[in-house]
Amino acid sequence: MRNFEYVRAATVPDAREAATGRPDARFLAGGTTMVDLMKCGVEAPSTLVDITRLPGLDGIEVGTDGVRLGSLARMSDVANDPRIREEFPVLSESLWRGASEQLRNMATIGGNLMQRTRCSYFREPATYSACNKREPGSGCAALEGVNRGHAVLGTSASCIATYPGDFAVALVAFDAQVVVENGGRRGISADDFFLLPGDTPHIEHPVAPTEMILAVEIPASAALRRSHYLKVRDRESYEFATASAAVGLELEDDGSTVRDVRLAMGGIATKPWRARAVEAALTGQRLDEQTVRAACAQVTEGAVDHGRNGFKIELAPRVAARALLNVGGIL
């Protein structure tokens, strides 16, 4: 780890000013990702701007219009909030199933959105020199390597690294906005916040180095209140998803016809993956097991098997169907 300057900011403008003119400066909140990346040699910032004491960014606000989560709110605080647990279960469940208890007590909502892939070829520069995400133009060792955990959707010839998070899958399913401070304020849809790798996999977010995430806003909906997060992984504790699904459902007054359905997938793509074809296939249809399983077959439409991760193409539709049948009260 190289030497770096440490700056503790007292206000948002102070923090942004400290990062101005230093493109390799990084904001430090919970530190559960940044410090880890510095230790393994992926990140080597010249300046760390500590934003943990900025006032007013740790709020958890629940209103009739939806939820607003400050960027410095802790994962565990949001997951444990009784209003979140009872009224918006997918948000609490996706946070509970991410990381370990110790990490959830440290990690923040903003930092969770900025976490980077767990691809071993990306995180082990001393062993693997080829990684376009870490070193643009160097190649992708995962393409011909051990890629069981890698993505089958949204991949490119430059990168097949899987997006690792859980909470963002729920945000994409329910049309959340990421609020960013850049002198003014702008909102970015969660779906647009995470970029496909294309031929620039090192660019993961549309956020400039001096921009700061202030909050995440999730609009209220009937589907959000009847929601669920299902995560399938190799072991139950502290493991990233092999495949996961964030789902929500609203039925017509007859109790069986789908008025609104939300589905986003994790663990199978290079970004949280909204399954809009499945949503379209189910909307207006009677909710039953046969219809759900037939629609969910479209989850992995266009997926690419890279040799060891092909099992996800069969697994993901089953995970999506199970989550929808669960929230629909059929399983």
Side-chain angles (χ1 to χ4, degrees), residues 200-213:
T200 56
H202 58 293
I203 303 174
E204 298 173 330
H205 309 281
V207 179
T210 57
E211 291 185 309
M212 181 183 298
I213 299 173

Side-chain angles (χ1 to χ4, degrees), residues 33-34 42 56 90 95 180 189 212-213 218 262 293 304 307:
T33 290
M34 179 54 61
V42 172
V90 71
L95 288 166
V180 173
S189 76
M212 181 183 298
I213 299 173
I218 307 102
R262 310 295 182 91
R293 293 197 183 279
V304 178

Side-chain angles (χ1 to χ4, degrees), residues 47-61:
T47 306
L48 278 183
V49 183
D50 186 341
I51 62 174
T52 55
R53 298 191 181 183
L54 298 184
L57 295 184
D58 60 350
I60 302 172
E61 302 172 25

Side-chain angles (χ1 to χ4, degrees), residues 163 165-174 194 229 244-246 264-267 272-273:
Y163 174 78
D166 298 291
F167 183 56
V169 181
L171 297 182
V172 167
F174 291 92
F194 301 97
Y229 185 73
S244 67
M265 302 296 296
W273 197 261

Side-chain angles (χ1 to χ4, degrees), residues 27-223:
F27 295 123
L28 179 69
T32 57
T33 290
M34 179 54 61
V35 174
D36 193 24
L37 291 173
M38 291 171 69
K39 288 180 177 177
C40 66
V42 172
E43 290 277 7
S46 63
T47 306
L48 278 183
V49 183
D50 186 341
I51 62 174
T52 55
R53 298 191 181 183
L54 298 184
L57 295 184
D58 60 350
I60 302 172
E61 302 172 25
V62 178
T64 56
D65 294 337
V67 179
R68 179 182 173 88
L69 305 173
S71 59
L72 294 182
R74 303 288 174 185
M75 287 176 65
S76 56
D77 289 339
V78 178
N80 284 327
D81 188 290
R83 299 165 298 174
I84 302 294
R85 287 204 317 264
E86 294 169 11
E87 299 181 40
F88 313 107
V90 71
L91 303 180
S92 176
E93 291 169 5
S94 62
L95 288 166
W96 266 115
R97 284 160 180 75
S100 66
E101 185 170 356
Q102 292 92 338
L103 289 170
R104 290 192 296 270
N105 287 337
M106 287 293 295
T108 64
I109 293 299
N112 184 273
L113 298 187
M114 299 298 285
Q115 66 177 305
R116 307 191 71 184
T117 181
R118 263 62 181 179
C119 172
S120 57
Y121 300 102
F122 169 77
R123 288 189 167 244
E124 296 182 26
T127 305
Y128 305 108
S129 59
C131 175
N132 290 317
K133 187 179 284 293
R134 187 184 67 242
E135 188 67 37
S138 62
C140 176
L143 285 170
E144 303 297 331
V146 179
N147 51 37
R148 179 180 181 276
H150 286 70
V152 295
L153 288 168
T155 60
S156 73
S158 298
C159 184
I160 60 171
T162 306
Y163 174 78
D166 298 291
F167 183 56
V169 181
L171 297 182
V172 167
F174 291 92
D175 300 323
Q177 290 274 312
V178 182
V179 181
V180 173
E181 165 75 34
N182 61 356
R185 296 189 179 186
R186 67 175 177 129
I188 308 169
S189 76
D191 204 9
D192 292 336
F193 186 84
F194 301 97
L195 303 179
L196 290 169
D199 57 2
T200 56
H202 58 293
I203 303 174
E204 298 173 330
H205 309 281
V207 179
T210 57
E211 291 185 309
M212 181 183 298
I213 299 173
L214 296 182
V216 176
E217 296 176 344
I218 307 102
S221 65

